[in-house]
Amino acid sequence: MKKDTLESLLFFKRWLANPMKVGAVIPSSANLARLIAKQVHLKADQCVVELGPGTGPVTKALLASGIPVERLFLIEIDGDMAAYLRREFPNVNVIHGDATKLKDLLPPQWVGKVATVISGIPMLPLPIELQRGLIDAAFEVMAPGGEILQYTYSLASPIKEKPLGLKGRRKGISMLNVPPAWVWSYAPAV
């Protein structure tokens, strides 16, 4: 069986098992992944964290854009997906765990040095308390001036900005994704 077919089958199987944790029926497109990767800028002493990487299309784009493997951390709550990612990206830091515990999951030397947190976690259906837990965890490990990138199929912000003290803005849309997907950037509201 072809690698793309196996990837799609795993993704669909995990979606069937828990559609609220897997936000799409098929993996994100290469077009969306490249759009996200273009938004990531890090300094020599910083890293990138990807939450909910699924089968890794954004990970591939990040690596292709030049993000060094030792400075890319994938946080995946699903054990099967984490195992798949370890096989696909043997040199990338794949961590099986809960993204709300990000400070405990990352190696201590990277806490406070995260330039960007990229979230593939479907935020719209999450209660505000869980959104707050994810957002707080991201900013707890972030470098000054860092940002959260969130992709979504919704036209509106997938994160409750005002109650969470955030300022969001659209960074682009991938019309070639199924369905089309927006990329949003979030930083603390000042």
Side-chain angles (χ1 to χ4, degrees):
M1 200 176 277
K2 286 177 59 178
K3 182 180 167 192
D4 290 347
T5 304
L6 287 172
E7 179 180 314
S8 294
L9 283 173
L10 172 63
F11 196 90
F12 185 66
K13 177 183 166 191
R14 301 317 308 153
W15 178 81
L16 282 174
N18 197 334
M20 296 304 281
K21 283 188 180 176
V22 180
V25 181
I26 60 173
S28 300
S29 70
N31 183 269
L32 173 60
R34 284 190 300 273
L35 175 63
I36 294 165
K38 281 187 355 186
Q39 310 302 320
V40 176
H41 308 285
L42 70 157
K43 297 176 183 162
D45 66 339
Q46 295 179 334
C47 68
V48 175
V49 172
E50 186 181 354
L51 308 179
T55 55
V58 174
T59 306
K60 287 176 194 165
L62 291 168
L63 293 170
S65 77
I67 303 293
V69 292
E70 68 276 4
R71 293 198 281 142
L72 179 57
F73 293 86
L74 311 181
I75 311 298
E76 178 57 59
I77 198 165
D78 183 285
D80 290 342
M81 291 288 216
Y84 174 84
L85 290 164
R86 284 189 187 103
R87 287 190 303 274
E88 278 301 297
F89 306 102
N91 298 317
V92 173
N93 304 287
V94 178
I95 301 169
H96 176 215
D98 180 345
T100 63
K101 312 264 188 284
L102 199 48
K103 187 175 180 182
D104 297 329
L105 296 175
L106 280 180
Q109 68 268 26
W110 292 108
V111 173
K113 294 185 177 181
V114 177
T116 307
V117 172
I118 300 162
S119 174
I121 296 171
M123 297 295 263
L124 276 172
L126 297 182
I128 185 112
E129 299 80 24
L130 190 47
Q131 282 193 11
R132 183 179 313 282
L134 290 164
I135 298 300
D136 288 350
F139 283 116
E140 188 177 25
V141 298
M142 211 170 283
E147 68 179 346
I148 296 171
L149 293 176
Q150 175 73 46
Y151 49 103
T152 182
Y153 308 114
S154 170
L155 294 174
S157 173
I159 297 175
K160 296 169 177 55
E161 294 174 54
K162 201 170 208 169
L164 296 175
L166 298 174
K167 174 73 175 145
R169 65 186 173 111
R170 289 187 189 138
K171 300 283 273 196
I173 186 170
S174 172
M175 294 301 291
L176 299 177
N177 197 71
V178 179
W182 288 98
V183 177
W184 283 76
S185 168
Y186 296 94
V190 181

